[in-house]
């Protein structure tokens, strides 16, 4: 679909109340495969590729989170979705927070998985920019090799070979210019902690117990800030519990959707 000036690839399955799922970096919409399959029997599930990833248009340079949010709103408008539960993981969770900042009246509930609300300190901003430059110069092989055992728990690499293969394939397949643009934009994102205290819809905070990118303490902070939230910590998982422990993740999301109505 051509929306907000770019071509967006997306999955759109099921019918009824809408659930929109936003992938993290450096992945694509296929990371939500288990959830699209599970939840399309109870609601309409939309999982897009963000600009710069998957089959969506690659725009080099810098992509702020505000641009990702505008893309998602334009996609919802194009699909005729007035109000929806919005979920995201890692960078996707931060995009969800930006979406709530921009258009809260469109959002019926929030799923924030393995993410955090704070802005980057100077050293983290510089590290993201350096990684962006390296992605453009060298491609994604180094990133996949260095981060596979942080994206999924080290013990899950041999225990869940198909998941490990999928995660590595997504990282290797990420367009370097698109991933770099996202990193540069993400480095400049605002602090969302105050925003979270103003959220008026139910929220589900999920985190893998062994996540080192966004540890349980980050999830606990969001849970404390959000006025109406549930916290689920998933054992035997790291940064991608929706893939590492999909049954547990899905059960928590089912319970949450029951509450949202």
């Amino acid at each position: 679909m051509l929306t907000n000036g770019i071509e967006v690839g997306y999955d759109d399955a099921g019918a009824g109340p809408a659930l929109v799922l936003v992938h993290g970096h450096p992945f694509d919409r296929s990371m939500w495969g288990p959830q699209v399959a599970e939840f399309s029997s109870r609601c309409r599930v939309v999982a897009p590729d963000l600009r710069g990833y998957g089959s969506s248009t690659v725009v080099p340079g810098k992509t702020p989170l505000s641009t990702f949010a505008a893309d998602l709103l334009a996609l919802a408008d194009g699909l005729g979705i007035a109000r929806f539960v919005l979920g995201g993981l890692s960078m996707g969770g931060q995009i969800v927070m930006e979406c709530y900042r921009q258009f809260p009246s469109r959002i019926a509930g929030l799923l924030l998985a393995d993410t955090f609300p704070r802005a980057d300190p100077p050293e983290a901003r510089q590290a993201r920019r350096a990684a962006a430059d390296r992605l453009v110069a060298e491609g994604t092989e180094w990133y996949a090799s260095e981060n596979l055992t942080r994206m999924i728990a080290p013990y899950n690499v041999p225990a869940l070979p198909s998941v490990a293969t999928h995660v590595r394939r997504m990282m290797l397949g990420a367009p370097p210019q698109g991933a770099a643009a996202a990193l540069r934009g993400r480095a400049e994102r605002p602090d969302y902690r105050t925003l979270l205290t103003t959220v008026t819809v139910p929220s589900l905070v999920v985190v893998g117990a062994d996540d080192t990118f966004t540890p349980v303490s980050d999830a606990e902070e969001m849970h404390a800030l959000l006025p109406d939230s549930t916290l689920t910590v998933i054992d035997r998982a790291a940064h991608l519990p929706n893939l590492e422990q999909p049954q547990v993740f899905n059960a928590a999301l089912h319970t949450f959707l029951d509450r949202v109505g």
Side-chain angles (χ1 to χ4, degrees):
M1 175 185 288
L2 184 63
T3 181
N4 205 28
I6 62 166
E7 192 69 33
V8 175
Y10 61 94
D11 293 327
D12 183 0
L19 169 65
V20 178
L21 297 172
V22 186
H23 67 78
H25 163 90
F27 305 126
D28 57 54
R29 69 183 191 263
S30 71
M31 70 157 280
W32 294 114
Q35 286 68 52
V36 173
E38 174 72 16
F39 290 93
S40 58
S41 61
R42 70 170 290 172
C43 59
R44 183 181 184 182
V45 187
V46 176
D49 285 329
L50 295 169
R51 81 163 56 201
Y53 296 91
S55 61
S56 292
T57 301
V58 175
V59 182
K62 178 171 64 179
T63 304
L65 297 196
S66 57
T67 298
F68 287 127
D71 290 345
L72 290 168
L73 180 60
L75 178 63
D77 288 344
L79 294 175
I81 300 173
R83 202 158 187 259
F84 47 95
V85 173
L86 182 60
L89 184 145
S90 193
M91 179 180 75
Q94 292 167 340
I95 293 169
V96 165
M97 296 180 223
E98 176 63 24
C99 288
Y100 192 84
R101 188 186 72 81
Q102 289 194 26
F103 45 90
S105 65
R106 300 289 293 272
I107 298 172
L110 297 177
L111 163 64
L112 298 168
D114 298 82
T115 190
F116 64 99
R118 285 166 279 106
D120 279 345
E123 61 273 15
R125 290 199 296 269
Q126 182 53 41
R128 290 197 198 278
R129 292 173 181 137
D133 291 343
R134 189 176 175 190
L135 284 170
V136 173
E138 302 178 24
T140 58
E141 174 69 41
W142 68 271
Y143 193 95
S145 297
E146 289 183 11
N147 290 291
L148 178 62
T149 55
R150 295 188 69 194
M151 295 297 184
I152 63 175
Y155 50 78
N156 280 335
V157 174
L160 302 169
S162 63
V163 172
T165 298
H166 179 203
V167 172
R168 181 172 172 79
R169 184 171 64 247
M170 286 191 291
M171 289 194 285
L172 291 175
Q177 290 281 2
L183 283 176
R184 295 186 186 109
R186 192 178 177 195
E188 299 178 7
R189 71 186 184 280
D191 191 304
Y192 293 110
R193 285 176 290 183
T194 298
L195 175 75
L196 293 185
T197 67
T198 71
V199 171
T200 59
V201 296
S203 304
L204 172 63
V205 180
V206 180
V207 66
D210 295 323
D211 192 346
T212 58
F213 278 124
T214 55
V216 172
S217 58
D218 287 340
E220 291 172 337
E221 178 182 36
M222 290 189 296
H223 176 49
L225 290 168
L226 288 158
D228 180 11
S229 67
T230 302
L231 172 62
T232 299
V233 179
I234 298 181
D235 291 332
R236 304 293 296 174
H239 197 54
L240 294 169
N242 69 302
L243 292 173
E244 296 172 90
Q245 299 294 338
Q247 291 182 321
V248 181
F249 185 97
N250 291 349
L253 186 50
H254 271 299
T255 300
F256 176 67
L257 294 177
D258 289 342
R259 187 158 72 90
V260 173

